[in-house]
């Protein structure tokens, strides 16, 4: 994907541009799903995914990553927009850009999970998982209760 621009922001899929320290702080301190996640774990998760970043000048303001086989399926996760830049449509732009990039590669199935932003993702075409009863999981995350809103 070539870099995209919108309203003074740049969206890039260049993994070399990811500000690992900032993304780690966002996820480990400001998200509900990855609170306490170690720097090493964040770095390894980014290295094993396709990262997408939004910048205002040299400063990273948004992030998401796609875990994908590059052919049939992608899990979009760790979507985060810096609090000072929310409400400007950056999240939708980020998600729509990821969907377009991966769709161009032939990916046809996308999955993500959210505790409270269903309406945001609906605007990009997501719907509740049909046939969710067919899916099974092992979930050993220490943040499991927070993710499901059970503090």
């Amino acid at each position: 994907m070539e870099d995209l621009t919108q309203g003074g922001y740049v969206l890039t899929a260049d993994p070399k541009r990811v500000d690992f320290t900032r993304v780690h702080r966002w996820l480990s301190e400001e998200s509900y799903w990855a609170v306490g996640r170690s720097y090493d774990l964040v770095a390894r998760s980014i290295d094993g995914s396709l990262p997408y970043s939004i910048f205002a000048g040299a400063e990273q303001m948004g992030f998401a990553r796609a875990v994908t086989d590059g052919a049939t399926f992608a899990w979009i996760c760790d979507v985060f927009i810096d609090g000072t830049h929310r409400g400007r449509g950056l999240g939708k732009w980020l998600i729509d850009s990821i969907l377009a990039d991966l769709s161009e590669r032939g990916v046809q199935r996308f999955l993500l999970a959210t505790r409270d932003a269903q309406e945001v993702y609906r605007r990009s075409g997501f719907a509740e998982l049909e046939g969710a009863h067919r899916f099974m999981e092992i979930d050993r995350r220490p943040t499991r209760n927070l993710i499901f809103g059970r503090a």
Side-chain angles (χ1 to χ4, degrees), residues 55-68:
F55 288 86
E59 194 171 8
Q60 188 161 355
M61 292 300 146
F63 176 79
R65 63 188 181 92
V67 181
T68 182

Side-chain angles (χ1 to χ4, degrees), residues 92-104:
K92 183 170 183 348
W93 181 41
L94 179 59
I95 293 300
D96 289 349
S97 298
I98 293 168
L99 293 172
D101 182 42
L102 295 176
S103 293
E104 287 177 14

Side-chain angles (χ1 to χ4, degrees), residues 79 81 86-87 89-96 99 112 114 116-128:
V79 180
I81 303 296
R86 291 182 188 152
L90 297 177
K92 183 170 183 348
W93 181 41
L94 179 59
I95 293 300
D96 289 349
L99 293 172
L112 60 75
T114 183
D116 54 7
Q118 286 82 359
E119 293 308 314
V120 172
Y121 295 113
R122 271 190 204 22
R123 291 186 289 231
S124 293
F126 283 91
E128 279 75 20

Side-chain angles (χ1 to χ4, degrees), residues 6-103:
Q6 175 178 292
Y9 294 95
V10 174
L11 192 155
T12 183
D14 184 350
K16 295 180 201 129
R17 294 205 50 204
V18 175
D19 181 339
F20 282 75
T21 301
R22 178 169 280 218
V23 172
H24 172 254
R25 182 177 47 78
W26 285 337
L27 296 178
S28 68
E29 297 177 16
E30 297 182 42
S31 77
Y32 64 83
W33 64 91
V35 67
R37 191 176 284 175
S38 72
Y39 183 91
D40 177 64
L41 191 58
V42 169
R44 286 188 295 131
S45 71
I46 294 169
D47 287 343
S49 305
L50 296 177
Y52 296 83
S53 302
I54 296 176
F55 288 86
E59 194 171 8
Q60 188 161 355
M61 292 300 146
F63 176 79
R65 63 188 181 92
V67 181
T68 182
D69 61 9
T72 65
F73 176 79
W75 169 275
I76 300 171
C77 53
D78 290 340
V79 180
F80 197 94
I81 303 296
D82 187 84
T84 61
H85 292 262
R86 291 182 188 152
R88 301 177 190 189
L90 297 177
K92 183 170 183 348
W93 181 41
L94 179 59
I95 293 300
D96 289 349
S97 298
I98 293 168
L99 293 172
D101 182 42
L102 295 176
S103 293

Side-chain angles (χ1 to χ4, degrees), residues 128-147:
E128 279 75 20
L129 185 63
E130 189 170 333
H133 64 280
R134 295 180 298 157
F135 286 79
M136 299 181 74
E137 70 175 344
I138 295 173
D139 189 344
R140 297 181 177 135
R141 294 172 293 178
T143 56
R144 182 174 171 77
N145 285 335
L146 288 173
I147 291 166

